[in-house]
């Protein structure tokens, strides 16, 4: 089932790229595996999937520590709201933290990455209308963090772009507005900080990734459409 689901999503991504006039393979697929067991992740890996996303650091550690041993080519991104006391494990596990949403967290990521001499990529999460309050609330706060990186105080942190979550609604205009907001913020920040490669736009999930691709997403985060409904009793 997971193999078939992956093929279907990949085909939908390809068609969305064509519809939007985008180059083939301009959009990466992340399989969001939160609350799904190791055997399902292994099935996705066996089907060729290499990029995964987890929301909770402890769950990610329990599952991916062993998966990395047997599958060295896979990558893990942390995509959930990150508490400062979880940063140490997040930095050791992940190749990218997508949910960077405040300056204090940026400083803690640098601190923990420097301890193990690891360079880690980050995406700056912008609040664009989703119900949750994660993400920078203003462009001024976002710019402050980028200025901190530009000052040379985060040599272990590599800014790569931006992330957002659209509101959970059937109103396509609100969803599209969220993605446009992120794209426009990205364009502004790329102009203001040309020293960084800020080309990654992580936006779009199972229910809205095709709209996100139309609006410029380079990475879609798909869970339910790949793995099926989550078992929240394991939360």
């Amino acid at each position: 089932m997971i193999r078939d689901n992956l093929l279907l999503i990949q085909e939908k991504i390809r068609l969305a790229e064509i519809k939007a006039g985008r180059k083939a393979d301009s959009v990466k697929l992340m399989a969001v595996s939160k609350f799904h067991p190791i055997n399902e992740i292994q099935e996705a890996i066996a089907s060729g999937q290499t990029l995964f996303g987890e929301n909770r650091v402890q769950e990610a550690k329990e599952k991916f520590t062993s998966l990395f041993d047997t599958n060295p080519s896979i990558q893990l991104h942390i995509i959930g709201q990150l508490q400062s006391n979880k940063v140490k494990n997040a930095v050791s596990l992940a190749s990218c933290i997508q949910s960077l949403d405040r300056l204090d967290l940026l400083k803690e990521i640098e601190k923990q990455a420097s301890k193990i001499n690891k360079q880690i990529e980050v995406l700056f999460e912008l609040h664009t209308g989703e119900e949750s309050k994660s993400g920078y609330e203003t462009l001024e706060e976002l710019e402050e963090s980028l200025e901190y990186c530009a000052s040379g105080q985060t040599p272990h942190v590599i800014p790569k772009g931006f992330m957002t979550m659209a509101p959970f609604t059937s109103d396509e205009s609100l969803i599209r507005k969220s993605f446009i907001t992120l794209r426009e913020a990205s364009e502004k920040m790329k102009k203001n900080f040309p020293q960084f490669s800020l080309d990654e736009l992580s936006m779009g999930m199972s229910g809205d990734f095709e709209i996100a691709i139309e609006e410029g997403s380079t990475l879609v985060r798909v869970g339910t459409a790949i793995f099926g409904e989550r078992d929240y009793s394991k939360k």
Side-chain angles (χ1 to χ4, degrees):
M1 180 189 78
I2 289 173
R3 179 184 293 274
D4 292 340
N5 290 347
L6 279 167
L7 289 171
L8 179 61
I9 297 300
Q10 288 161 356
E11 177 64 9
K12 286 184 175 181
I13 290 172
R14 188 184 70 82
L15 292 174
E17 287 173 333
I18 292 171
K19 181 181 178 182
R22 305 263 308 266
K23 291 181 179 179
D25 301 321
S26 63
V27 181
K28 296 186 286 291
L29 172 60
M30 166 184 288
V32 179
S33 49
K34 66 177 182 179
F35 303 143
H36 290 287
I38 286 180
N39 65 294
E40 292 185 4
I41 301 172
Q42 289 171 325
E43 186 177 342
I45 294 170
S47 303
Q49 182 65 27
T50 58
L51 178 60
F52 294 86
E54 286 278 343
N55 285 58
R56 304 192 319 161
V57 175
Q58 187 56 40
E59 181 187 355
K61 184 178 181 181
E62 291 169 1
K63 294 191 295 192
F64 279 85
T65 300
S66 60
L67 285 168
F68 284 137
D69 289 339
T70 53
N71 304 279
S73 65
I74 65 173
Q75 290 190 355
L76 174 68
H77 289 195
I78 298 298
I79 61 175
Q81 194 167 19
L82 186 58
Q83 298 173 324
S84 294
N85 64 349
K86 304 291 186 183
V87 170
K88 179 180 179 180
N89 283 333
V91 167
S92 66
L93 281 169
S95 60
C96 178
I97 293 173
Q98 291 203 14
S99 47
L100 174 52
D101 62 357
R102 58 196 187 277
L103 180 57
D104 285 350
L105 182 60
L106 170 62
K107 292 177 180 178
E108 185 64 21
I109 292 170
E110 169 59 33
K111 176 182 175 182
Q112 297 301 333
S114 68
K115 287 181 180 179
I116 57 174
N117 196 28
K118 176 180 178 177
Q119 292 211 309
I120 185 161
E121 297 179 352
V122 297
L123 302 184
F124 297 88
E125 182 179 2
L126 187 64
H127 184 265
T128 61
E130 74 277 13
E131 285 88 344
S132 70
K133 287 297 181 182
S134 58
Y136 288 91
E137 292 285 343
T138 68
L139 290 185
E140 288 75 21
E141 292 172 335
L142 173 58
E143 195 154 16
E144 182 183 9
S145 287
L146 277 161
E147 285 172 350
Y148 189 80
C149 292
S151 71
Q153 298 183 73
T154 58
H156 297 87
V157 175
I158 307 170
K160 295 297 288 185
F162 307 91
M163 184 266 261
T164 200
M165 289 177 62
F168 294 102
T169 176
S170 59
D171 188 334
E172 182 179 316
S173 65
L174 291 177
I175 294 170
R176 195 175 294 276
K177 180 181 177 182
S178 171
F179 296 147
I180 292 171
T181 297
L182 187 72
R183 187 186 71 232
E184 290 178 345
S186 166
E187 289 167 355
K188 180 178 180 180
M189 294 304 150
K190 285 198 285 186
K191 188 178 295 183
N192 291 352
F193 298 95
Q195 65 269 56
F196 299 129
S197 174
L198 298 171
D199 294 326
E200 198 79 279
L201 277 183
S202 173
M203 56 188 196
M205 301 192 294
S206 290
D208 57 24
F209 69 85
E210 288 157 304
I211 300 172
I213 291 171
E214 289 179 24
E215 297 302 339
S217 176
T218 64
L219 189 158
V220 295
R221 310 181 304 271
V222 180
T224 303
I226 294 173
F227 295 107
E229 294 296 330
R230 299 181 180 94
D231 182 358
Y232 286 98
S233 68
K234 298 175 182 176
K235 188 173 180 179

